[in-house]
Amino acid sequence: MKPVYCSKGHENPTGNRFCQQCGEPLPVPSPPAGGRSPVAVSVSPGTLLGERYRIVRQLGQGGFGRAYLAEDINRFEERCVLKEFAPQVRGTYALQKGKELFEREAGVLYKLQHRQIPRFREMFRANINSEGHLFLVQDFVEGETYRSLSANRRLKNLPFSEEEVIQLLLQLLPVLEYIHSLGVIHRDISPDNLMLRTSDSLPVLIDFGGVKEIEVEVESEFSGAGNPPTPGTRVGKAGYAPDEQMQIGLVYPHSDLYALAVTALVLLTGKPPQELRDSHALTWNWHQYISLSPAFSAVLNRMLAHRPGDRYPSAGAALAELQNVASRHSGSPPAPALAPVPPPAPTSQPPAGTTQTAQAVSPAPPTAVPAPPQPRRRSSQWVNFLLMFLIIAGMGGVGLLVGKMWPPHGGNSHEEINGKFSPEERQRKEALRERRRSLGVDFNFYVTLVDDVYYAKYPDQRGRTLSDDPADAGWRERWDSAAAESLQKLATLSAPARQKLGSYSKEDIARQKLEINRLHLSSRSLNDLTDAQFFRLFPEFKQEENLLDLPVGQVWQAIAAERVEAVKSGAALEVIKFAPGATGTSVRGRISPGDGKAYIAELAKDQLLQVKLDAGGAMRLSVYPPSGKKASLLEDSKQVSWSGRLPESGYYEFVVVAEDSEPVAFELSVQAK
């Protein structure tokens, strides 16, 4: 009988339900049920796919296919991992949607170029039993998972020490900082998904949650309108992922920090996370099992905060704090973080719309038990100083010379005010510094935002660097004025939204879309609600086509995040219902400048709809049909009435936003016959 392998490659006898080495549930074939179709037949060892990948064995199985260990015959039989797209969903549209998401995942993996992340090689198609299949190809990491390392240490009663775990976090936080800067969140950090690589004893981050996210998105879309995914399909492991991720599917960069801190505690104590946390009081009780230094405990406690806003805003902020802890332990600054690897020469075909540059790294022969991570030698302080000087000397921009930008460490960044400035200018800049700090706005983001606003006001100054010369005093004053105005505008945001400025990603937008779609609201309505406030604050960017690529686009995303919360709470969304036997109704409200509200009403195809907005001030009206396949009936229009036959059945959206300088009272009438 054939052996069964878990996703980590451990061999088990046929019939085992759990891996005898790591305890992971083993794949069990099951008959089709509940509208699902069975996963395609697994590929047999020895099969050659894509005319270059020879299958060695199956590594694991998930909702969207299997993973295989393979040999690349075009690269001296170098080992790699193939991930197959074989979703358990039925229907042509569902399969096409899954395929699109799978290809998107290939694009995400492709842009990750870091020596502590398995490199994406290519995506290819292959025919198996006359059926087309998609595969992702990644590097194979030779080594052992930290779960396995921890289990071996428990047998010897030798848990990881505080120094070892601090070193591990120092090596992993720069990896998280890197992926978060690209808008990628891992979602599934645990000892299972961290490997100690044999060749260099470095921790490697594996199994990103993207493919699992595909399963969640497709299941959400096809399990029934308005039904959120079941808890079992949430991305992340119970006990490791924070509550907001497991309960409602919300993920942020600090979600990875939370999971990393749980992983650290598991390695330190040798106990599963469920034994370290009181699920009723939502507090951690790991202190009774292990004693850590107060400084390191404080770092872990902040990473593990129940309220997302109480955690570190970024991996860089956590890294800066941990570096201070490490320096107290060793008496000297810690080793510098590993930088991302520059892409090498192309070797194979990239996913659609990209240029392939990834290249595999040959793994070293395995050893029985890899050694724990060891501190790396520090570079010469003079070399580091010279590199920093060259980097600073080469950086342009108004903000650099005006604010004296220092290495980014989130809230730990600081500004040094130039002594050459006049007392009046120094006082002005000190006031700006204190105002920024009181708002909790990241310094590096603040500088880039003000540069953005400054150049929008004075486009002729673009490309010109301000000096500390008295001749530039007037221009520096204009920059400070733009800074003061920007801070005043940022003060209108909530504290959590301000703290996240600089770390919003396009992934956040995709998640927000899913959240409001479940409430029968489209991204068009969210855009209307967000634009109303954003362009009231920053009207100079109305004609900007690539808004989200600019620093000021972070403010737009912050407002969008607040609007989503307002929609979910019911403050910005109301359902219009007709009384029994009635064909129409009216709703009334009062909206502040730049604010808005969305209404939804379930209507039928071919009904005659009449909409009218009566307002005591300037307002705009949008009317959107249920699906994005039909054109808007009205879109952010000054026209305040519409009538006509409805093109389809479903929930219609009505969005009103205020453009006046004063609060506006309004009445929205909806008639459907």
Side-chain angles (χ1 to χ4, degrees):
M1 301 180 72
K2 293 183 179 180
V4 180
Y5 297 91
C6 72
S7 64
K8 310 301 179 295
H10 300 146
E11 185 175 318
N12 297 271
T14 301
N16 274 25
R17 294 182 58 196
F18 299 93
C19 177
Q20 58 190 10
Q21 294 190 48
C22 68
E24 176 185 300
L26 295 173
V28 179
S30 57
R36 288 177 172 265
S37 58
V39 179
V41 177
S42 62
V43 183
S44 302
T47 303
L48 189 65
L49 298 178
E51 299 183 351
R52 68 179 294 180
Y53 301 109
R54 183 188 296 115
I55 300 299
V56 176
R57 67 172 186 265
Q58 181 178 322
L59 293 176
Q61 176 178 319
F64 260 68
R66 294 179 169 91
Y68 300 93
L69 177 64
E71 295 172 338
D72 186 347
I73 64 173
N74 288 2
R75 293 185 60 81
F76 307 101
E77 298 186 341
E78 185 177 69
R79 289 191 163 189
C80 55
V81 174
L82 270 58
K83 291 185 178 180
E84 176 191 18
F85 172 70
Q88 301 181 63
V89 291
R90 178 174 293 171
T92 303
Y93 182 65
L95 288 170
Q96 179 61 30
K97 179 68 175 179
K99 176 175 171 292
E100 292 173 2
L101 294 168
F102 190 77
E103 291 175 339
R104 185 188 71 185
E105 171 65 10
V108 170
L109 295 174
Y110 167 75
K111 68 181 179 180
L112 299 179
Q113 299 285 334
H114 197 287
R115 70 188 72 187
Q116 289 171 263
I117 298 172
R119 288 185 182 174
F120 170 79
R121 298 192 186 188
E122 68 166 326
M123 182 176 70
F124 71 94
R125 291 170 173 80
N127 286 325
I128 303 174
N129 297 332
S130 301
E131 293 183 355
H133 290 247
L134 280 174
F135 290 89
L136 297 181
V137 186
Q138 288 181 281
D139 280 354
F140 173 70
V141 179
E142 191 75 55
E144 192 169 359
T145 67
Y146 274 81
R147 175 170 181 153
S148 177
L149 289 170
S150 181
N152 290 335
R153 283 180 170 236
R154 283 200 303 273
L155 293 175
K156 301 174 183 178
N157 197 26
L158 292 172
F160 283 79
S161 68
E162 178 172 346
E163 289 73 19
E164 287 175 324
V165 171
I166 288 177
Q167 179 64 22
L168 175 63
L169 298 187
L170 288 173
Q171 292 173 323
L172 286 172
L173 283 169
V175 185
L176 296 183
E177 187 175 23
Y178 166 69
I179 67 172
H180 294 165
S181 71
L182 298 177
V184 177
I185 301 174
H186 188 281
R187 302 180 180 88
D188 199 14
I189 294 175
S190 71
D192 283 325
N193 290 334
L194 294 176
M195 292 193 71
L196 183 63
R197 187 163 52 204
T198 303
S199 59
D200 54 13
S201 293
L202 281 176
V204 178
L205 195 55
I206 64 172
D207 284 354
F208 282 67
V211 172
K212 177 70 174 179
E213 180 75 4
I214 296 172
E215 184 181 356
V216 171
E217 288 195 34
V218 174
E219 185 160 314
S220 171
E221 184 161 349
F222 299 106
S223 62
N227 294 330
T230 62
T233 63
R234 294 292 185 203
V235 180
K237 288 184 177 64
Y240 290 92
D243 291 341
E244 71 274 5
Q245 180 176 339
M246 296 304 295
Q247 293 173 6
I248 56 177
L250 295 180
V251 290
Y252 308 96
H254 54 61
S255 304
D256 282 347
L257 300 184
Y258 183 101
L260 182 59
V262 178
T263 298
L265 289 180
V266 170
L267 297 178
L268 287 163
T269 63
K271 295 184 176 296
Q274 289 79 5
E275 293 185 24
L276 302 174
R277 186 176 190 244
D278 186 330
S279 59
H280 299 289
L282 303 178
T283 57
W284 290 89
N285 55 15
W286 55 269
H287 301 82
Q288 62 183 291
Y289 299 108
I290 188 172
S291 178
L292 301 176
S293 65
F296 186 39
S297 297
V299 172
L300 291 178
N301 285 335
R302 185 169 178 187
M303 293 172 72
L304 292 166
H306 176 65
R307 290 183 64 255
D310 292 337
R311 300 173 200 148
Y312 289 103
S314 66
L319 178 62
E321 194 70 31
L322 192 62
Q323 285 173 331
N324 293 332
V325 174
S327 65
R328 293 180 205 145
H329 272 262
S330 63
S332 61
L338 292 172
V341 180
T347 61
S348 54
Q349 293 300 315
T354 62
T355 302
Q356 174 65 22
T357 59
Q359 180 175 338
V361 178
S362 299
T367 57
V369 180
Q374 300 296 322
R376 302 177 70 244
R377 291 184 179 179
R378 292 193 299 123
S379 302
S380 164
Q381 291 183 349
W382 283 106
V383 173
N384 288 343
F385 176 81
L386 178 60
L387 287 173
M388 181 176 291
F389 175 81
L390 291 174
I391 291 171
I392 292 177
M395 292 177 66
V398 175
L400 180 61
L401 289 178
V402 172
K404 293 285 186 181
M405 187 184 300
W406 288 79
H409 295 305
N412 293 326
S413 296
H414 63 280
E415 307 100 303
E416 179 183 329
I417 298 174
N418 197 316
K420 294 183 180 181
F421 296 155
S422 67
E424 180 185 357
E425 185 169 357
R426 287 201 301 270
Q427 184 178 3
R428 186 174 71 232
K429 293 185 185 301
E430 286 173 359
L432 288 172
R433 178 174 59 190
E434 293 309 310
R435 178 59 168 159
R436 178 195 66 77
R437 289 176 175 174
S438 69
L439 292 175
V441 177
D442 178 80
F443 170 60
N444 297 323
F445 166 74
Y446 158 74
V447 171
T448 57
L449 172 67
V450 178
D451 279 351
D452 225 12
V453 174
Y454 174 85
Y455 284 131
K457 285 189 174 183
Y458 310 104
D460 57 314
Q461 294 294 306
R462 190 173 296 276
R464 177 179 178 272
T465 301
L466 289 180
S467 70
D468 57 7
D469 192 273
D472 272 340
W475 287 110
R476 292 198 303 271
E477 184 176 1
R478 292 182 180 90
W479 194 95
D480 288 349
S481 176
E485 292 175 7
S486 298
L487 290 174
Q488 183 176 357
K489 293 172 181 178
L490 296 183
T492 63
L493 303 176
S494 65
R498 290 197 302 267
Q499 291 170 3
K500 196 179 175 185
L501 288 170
S503 61
Y504 286 101
S505 67
K506 292 183 180 179
E507 192 174 49
D508 292 317
I509 298 176
R511 185 187 65 256
Q512 291 164 359
K513 179 181 177 182
L514 285 174
E515 291 177 13
I516 62 172
N517 285 170
R518 293 167 185 156
L519 299 173
H520 306 294
L521 210 61
S522 69
S523 56
R524 296 176 295 187
S525 294
L526 178 59
N527 291 345
D528 285 347
L529 296 172
T530 305
D531 286 349
Q533 182 178 347
F534 176 81
F535 289 120
R536 177 176 172 79
L537 296 175
F538 297 96
E540 63 269 34
F541 290 95
K542 266 194 173 181
Q543 304 305 317
E544 180 58 54
E545 295 181 358
N546 302 313
L547 180 66
L548 293 182
D549 295 328
L550 300 177
V552 75
Q554 288 284 301
V555 182
W556 191 96
Q557 290 207 55
I559 295 173
E562 292 184 330
R563 288 291 181 257
V564 169
E565 293 305 312
V567 166
K568 289 162 60 177
S569 70
L573 176 63
E574 184 177 328
V575 180
I576 295 177
K577 293 184 178 180
F578 298 156
T583 59
T585 188
S586 296
V587 291
R588 298 175 179 82
R590 184 178 179 85
I591 297 180
S592 300
D595 206 352
K597 189 166 184 178
Y599 298 87
I600 56 174
E602 190 172 14
L603 304 173
K605 182 180 179 180
D606 293 329
Q607 277 189 298
L608 177 61
L609 175 67
Q610 293 179 315
V611 183
K612 185 179 180 182
L613 175 64
D614 289 317
M619 296 190 75
R620 287 181 179 267
L621 173 65
S622 297
V623 182
Y624 297 122
S627 73
K629 299 177 182 179
K630 301 294 183 180
S632 305
L633 307 183
L634 283 180
E635 184 169 2
D636 197 28
S637 175
K638 291 185 177 180
Q639 180 181 334
V640 292
S641 64
W642 185 90
S643 63
R645 294 286 177 185
L646 297 181
E648 58 185 337
S649 299
Y651 282 92
Y652 281 75
E653 305 164 46
F654 308 88
V655 185
V656 294
V657 297
E659 286 193 314
D660 215 293
S661 58
E662 299 292 335
V664 179
F666 68 92
E667 180 178 4
L668 179 67
S669 300
V670 179
Q671 301 284 332
K673 302 178 182 178

